[in-house]
Amino acid sequence: MEKAVKIDVKNGYEPQTVAVPKGVTTKLVFNRTNPSSCLAKVRSTDLDFEQDLPLNENVTISITPDKAGEYDYSCGMGMFHGKVVVK
């Protein structure tokens, strides 16, 4: 079973926190509508991804978290933050 979560990248990440189930592949679908270069990249050391976010395009990052917990992600400059809560 696969799940998808849409995250709008406007004045940060909306929603800022998303909940996903442990052990289930989840697609995080980012769509950046803010032209700020700060938001042109999303990265997470916790979830092991770094991805460019072109303006007005859906970018899908698949994760399959195997441990419950809270995992942070941020823009390329570390100014905007979001969180994935794994239950």
Side-chain angles (χ1 to χ4, degrees), residues 4 7 16 19 33 38 41 43 52 60-61 72 75 83 87:
I7 300 169
Q16 191 172 4
T33 56
C38 179
K41 188 179 293 279
R43 64 171 53 135
D52 290 333
T60 302
I61 299 170
D72 294 324
C75 67
K83 187 181 298 189
K87 296 181 178 190

Side-chain angles (χ1 to χ4, degrees), residues 5-52:
V5 178
K6 185 167 176 18
I7 300 169
D8 291 319
V9 184
K10 295 178 187 173
N11 299 316
Y13 302 103
E14 298 170 21
Q16 191 172 4
T17 302
V18 297
V20 304
K22 180 175 78 166
V24 174
T25 298
T26 301
K27 291 180 178 180
L28 304 177
V29 183
F30 291 88
N31 186 286
R32 178 170 73 101
T33 56
N34 184 324
S36 168
S37 61
C38 179
L39 292 165
K41 188 179 293 279
V42 64
R43 64 171 53 135
S44 173
T45 305
D46 295 343
L47 295 169
D48 192 32
F49 67 75
E50 182 169 327
Q51 183 71 47
D52 290 333

Side-chain angles (χ1 to χ4, degrees), residues 56-74:
N56 299 315
E57 289 182 31
N58 284 337
V59 174
T60 302
I61 299 170
S62 292
I63 60 169
T64 310
D66 57 0
K67 286 190 238 175
E70 295 186 355
Y71 301 92
D72 294 324
Y73 62 89
S74 69

